[in-house]
Amino acid sequence: MSAQPTIIRELEDAISRGKPGQRGETLHRVVELFVIGALRYSEEQIALFDDVIVRLADKIEVSVRAELATRLAPIPNAPPRVIRNLASDEEIAVAGPVLTQSDRLDDATLVEISKMSSQLHLLAISRRKALSPGVTDVLVELGGRDVVLSLVANSAARISQPGYATLVRRSQGDDEVATCVGSRPDIPRHLFLQLLAQASERVRNRLAPGNSPSAYQVQVVIASVASRIAAKTAAMSRNYRSAQ
């Protein structure tokens, strides 16, 4: 890393002069240097890059931050403070690539960002290649319809039983959400049956030949619902006759 002293001198010069153009050019050179040797750098060296890039990236235009996010998001050992700053950016063009791709974001950070950011940020998180129940619980509670649909379509997302209970509740009256939730192979059986009990005939017909959990269960639920309705009707009829 013999080029580091030169890069740091350029950094100090860019900051002291305060010229955005020079700052952007220096940032580009530092990022290129990091990307080229990323897999070889020690944590100490990555910390040096972290400090340099954080200082350079302060107050630069959105397009430059977005380019920085796109370059660093896929790198597993990207500078952690830079990644966190980019993920928390109000501009989704900046935060999106990092929220969707970066392995540097832990669950606590994802939960924190989910609670303070826009629906577009939550949508980006819902598309990650791995999602723990701790994160998905927050997404199903705070996310809008688009976030919910994206989450349940993500086979890598692990959803807790309380999360599924929330999804079943939110799916009531929404055939598309109900079908997507009911089609997930990991939905608990009792919640699948609850979803069917409240679902429209259209949703039941869609889920009947599906994989989750079985066509037989669908028919059992339909028969059970029909039986409850018939019993309730019969009871009402007996009460009516008694009243007469």
Side-chain angles (χ1 to χ4, degrees):
M1 296 184 58
S2 58
Q4 282 189 36
T6 302
I7 293 294
I8 293 175
R9 283 197 297 271
E10 290 179 1
L11 163 66
E12 297 295 347
D13 184 56
I15 292 176
S16 62
R17 293 190 183 191
K19 294 181 180 180
Q22 185 178 5
R23 181 182 292 236
E25 181 181 346
T26 305
L27 175 62
H28 178 76
R29 293 188 62 185
V30 172
V31 172
E32 283 299 314
L33 180 62
F34 175 78
V35 170
I36 290 171
L39 298 180
R40 301 194 307 268
Y41 294 137
S42 66
E43 286 301 318
E44 182 180 0
Q45 292 167 330
I46 291 172
L48 173 61
F49 276 101
D50 209 3
D51 182 60
V52 171
I53 296 173
V54 164
R55 295 171 66 189
L56 280 175
D58 184 40
K59 297 179 181 179
I60 59 175
E61 56 268 30
V62 172
S63 60
V64 178
R65 298 202 308 275
E67 181 183 358
L68 176 63
T70 301
R71 295 298 305 278
L72 295 181
I75 300 176
N77 62 337
R81 277 198 301 151
V82 175
I83 288 296
R84 184 183 175 91
N85 289 350
L86 293 171
S88 303
D89 200 289
E90 293 182 358
E91 297 289 340
I92 191 60
V94 179
V98 177
L99 291 174
T100 300
Q101 300 178 58
S102 180
D103 293 336
R104 278 293 201 183
L105 298 174
D106 58 20
D107 286 355
T109 301
L110 291 170
V111 167
E112 179 183 347
I113 292 173
S114 296
K115 291 180 178 179
M116 58 182 285
S117 301
S118 73
Q119 289 294 310
L120 291 176
H121 289 69
L122 270 62
L123 186 61
I125 294 172
S126 74
R127 295 168 175 162
R128 290 177 65 84
K129 64 184 180 181
L131 282 170
S132 72
V135 178
T136 59
D137 279 352
V138 177
L139 294 181
V140 300
E141 190 65 38
L142 301 180
R145 185 173 185 272
D146 289 343
V147 174
V148 167
L149 286 171
S150 174
L151 176 65
V152 297
N154 184 351
S155 60
R158 292 186 291 122
I159 302 174
S160 68
Q161 184 164 302
Y164 267 118
T166 301
L167 288 172
V168 169
R169 173 177 54 81
R170 294 191 60 177
S171 70
Q172 190 164 8
D174 190 322
D175 284 2
E176 185 177 3
V177 173
T179 302
C180 291
V181 173
S183 297
R184 284 188 60 99
D186 57 343
I187 181 172
R189 181 179 181 276
H190 71 285
L191 290 173
F192 176 72
L193 300 181
Q194 180 182 328
L195 181 147
L196 287 178
Q198 70 185 29
S200 67
E201 183 177 356
R202 183 182 180 188
V203 171
R204 293 175 193 154
N205 290 336
R206 285 179 177 177
L207 293 176
N211 297 322
S212 178
S214 73
Y216 173 73
Q217 288 179 330
V218 176
Q219 298 305 322
V220 168
V221 171
I222 293 174
S224 175
V225 171
S227 296
R228 289 201 302 270
I229 293 173
K232 185 176 181 181
T233 302
M236 290 175 64
S237 298
R238 286 194 297 270
N239 292 338
Y240 177 70
R241 287 195 298 270
S242 298
Q244 282 184 320

